Amino acid sequence: MQVIVKNTVEEMSRCGAEIVAEVIFSKKNPVLGLATGSTPVKMYQELIKMHKAGKLDFAKVRSFNLDEYAGLAETHDQSYRYFMNFNLFDHVNINKKNTNVPSGLAKDIPAACAEYEKKIVAWGGIDIQVLGIGTNGHIAFNEPLSGKNSRTRKVALTDGTIQDNARFFAKKSDVPTFAVSMGIGTILEARKIILLANGKNKADAIAKTVEGPITHMIPASFIQSHANCILVIDKDAASMLKGKYPSSL
Ligand code: GLP
């Protein structure tokens, strides 16, 4: 695992965008694994800037998102499909038919999850998976106790995660209590992983992810075992790390 510490969120986002763009440049039919949350928003803005400047073509890009709230329609302004359209897809030349977000409304959730997994494999697997991190060390919606071999499935959200995400909803009781999420096993199959984190509220989770033992109590720690994994974080998120880490590769 490589760790890069940037001074600001802007620098973190530019660096993240360059890493994602490099994958888009180097693959014929790139498959991106995409994340939601406030952390990657500026990175998506950087990718949009590159596209608008004529430097980045999304025509051949395909994507799979990590997760979706159970019970929210795609049109709900807090659904992750809505987030992706609003923050990235509507601003670049990606074909929306080539973008996938798990359905929060599937009648048969286990069948829909199995289909999602099959489609990732059928499309050649994920070239780069973008991740954020929850304050309790979750990735996607893999809360503590998620197993290393977990696959896309319905998951219950912890009270802490519901509290953290309540800022996006009118009130805490509006936050869905379940989600559909790629599993840790699904995520670890991506050929490359990039995890972004900024802010002091992520410092504890980042310290445990990077320097702690691999444990299902900190699901992000499983990425320590990935062969091609890079963390790009700002200095606040790095503030509880004991080691010294470079600001570029
Ligand atoms: C949610 C998402 C995660 C995201 C996390 C952190 O729980 N399912 O994918 O990493 O929030 O969000 P933020 O970036 O807003 O701190």
Side-chain angles (χ1 to χ4, degrees):
M1 164 190 267
Q2 290 173 307
V3 180
I4 297 180
V5 181
K6 295 288 185 187
N7 278 322
T8 63
V9 178
E10 286 69 27
E11 282 179 36
M12 174 198 86
S13 306
R14 269 198 299 278
C15 177
E18 278 161 21
I19 291 168
V20 172
E22 188 48 47
V23 173
I24 298 178
F25 294 142
S26 65
K27 301 274 171 177
K28 253 195 181 159
N29 291 106
V31 179
L32 308 181
L34 298 174
T36 54
S38 52
T39 309
V41 169
K42 284 204 161 82
M43 182 189 79
Y44 292 144
Q45 287 168 2
E46 290 296 328
L47 291 172
I48 293 166
K49 253 196 244 165
M50 290 181 200
H51 170 69
K52 296 228 187 282
K55 292 181 192 149
L56 195 58
D57 183 11
F58 282 79
K60 299 242 167 77
V61 172
R62 297 169 298 163
S63 71
F64 287 91
N65 260 77
L66 287 168
D67 48 10
E68 180 59 282
Y69 286 116
L72 294 196
E74 292 189 349
T75 48
H76 190 290
D77 67 1
Q78 290 309 323
S79 78
Y80 284 168
R81 160 55 75 179
Y82 188 99
F83 174 104
M84 288 313 302
N85 290 346
F86 184 81
N87 286 293
L88 181 64
F89 300 153
D90 284 343
H91 312 284
V92 295
N93 64 329
I94 198 164
N95 181 344
K96 284 215 187 116
K97 287 196 184 124
N98 292 336
T99 68
N100 300 278
V101 180
S103 169
L105 292 181
K107 286 229 159 50
D108 183 344
I109 292 184
C113 291
E115 271 307 302
Y116 203 70
E117 292 272 344
K118 260 209 219 148
K119 199 167 180 185
I120 295 173
V121 174
W123 287 20
I126 291 171
D127 290 310
I128 183 166
Q129 177 64 61
V130 177
L131 296 174
I133 187 169
T135 52
N136 62 358
H138 75 238
I139 47 176
F141 270 131
N142 293 286
E143 299 280 32
L145 301 186
S146 295
K148 183 173 183 188
N149 299 320
S150 52
R151 312 301 307 189
T152 306
R153 70 211 183 286
K154 184 175 178 182
V155 291
L157 306 185
T158 63
D159 193 57
T161 296
I162 292 169
Q163 184 60 50
D164 282 350
N165 291 353
R167 68 192 194 276
F168 300 113
F169 292 80
K171 50 186 188 312
K172 188 180 164 189
S173 58
D174 289 346
V175 184
T177 51
F178 289 91
V180 175
S181 176
M182 274 190 206
I184 303 287
T186 325
I187 291 168
L188 291 178
E189 279 167 15
R191 284 183 272 279
K192 188 180 181 97
I193 291 178
I194 174 176
L195 186 147
L196 302 176
N198 64 276
K200 282 229 167 3
N201 61 329
K202 300 292 173 70
D204 180 55
I206 286 295
K208 288 173 176 158
T209 296
V210 177
E211 295 176 342
I214 296 179
T215 164
H216 61 219
M217 295 313 290
I218 304 290
S221 66
F222 286 120
I223 65 174
Q224 287 179 21
S225 63
H226 193 277
N228 191 3
C229 173
I230 182 162
L231 269 74
V232 185
I233 60 180
D234 81 341
K235 61 177 188 318
D236 287 340
S239 58
M240 288 171 71
L241 288 169
K242 292 199 175 73
K244 283 256 170 274
Y245 299 93
S247 60
S248 61
L249 287 182

